[in-house]
């Protein structure tokens, strides 16, 4: 495990301390979780952009044309 020293404005530090206490976790756990969430969001965004760059409207329309044209069942309406 790595040790990282960060500088936070006093107001943000107090907010993190309060929120972490409300969740009954340490500040370290809170910050590690926050960093993991941010990394996950950025990684997911990159993955979606990469997948979108390979998209083909023609292929999408071909697949969509194979969907049966039927009314949805009662539980699927709304």
């Amino acid at each position: 495990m790595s040790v990282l020293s960060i500088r936070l404005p006093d107001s943000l530090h107090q907010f993190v301390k309060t929120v972490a206490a409300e969740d009954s976790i340490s500040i370290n756990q809170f910050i590690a979780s926050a960093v993991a969430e941010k990394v996950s969001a950025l990684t997911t965004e990159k993955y979606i952009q990469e997948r979108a760059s390979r998209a083909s409207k023609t292929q999408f329309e071909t697949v969509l044309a194979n969907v049966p044209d039927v009314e949805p069942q009662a539980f699927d309406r709304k």
Side-chain angles (χ1 to χ4, degrees), residues 70-78:
V70 296
E71 286 294 316
Q73 295 188 11
F75 63 85
D76 271 345
R77 293 184 189 145
K78 284 193 181 184

Side-chain angles (χ1 to χ4, degrees), residues 1-61:
M1 186 168 300
S2 299
V3 175
L4 180 65
S5 178
I6 62 170
R7 298 184 194 287
L8 295 174
D10 291 339
S11 58
L12 183 56
H13 180 228
Q14 186 57 46
F15 185 72
V16 168
K17 187 176 180 180
T18 300
V19 173
E22 288 172 357
D23 281 352
S24 301
I25 60 173
S26 68
I27 292 174
N28 283 344
Q29 288 172 309
F30 179 85
I31 292 173
S33 177
V35 170
E37 287 179 28
K38 182 64 175 186
V39 168
S40 176
L42 293 173
T43 303
T44 300
E45 181 181 12
K46 182 179 175 182
Y47 171 77
I48 290 172
Q49 287 175 345
E50 192 272 328
R51 288 290 306 262
S53 71
R54 297 183 300 167
S56 163
K57 186 174 180 179
T58 304
Q59 288 177 337
F60 172 73
E61 290 172 344

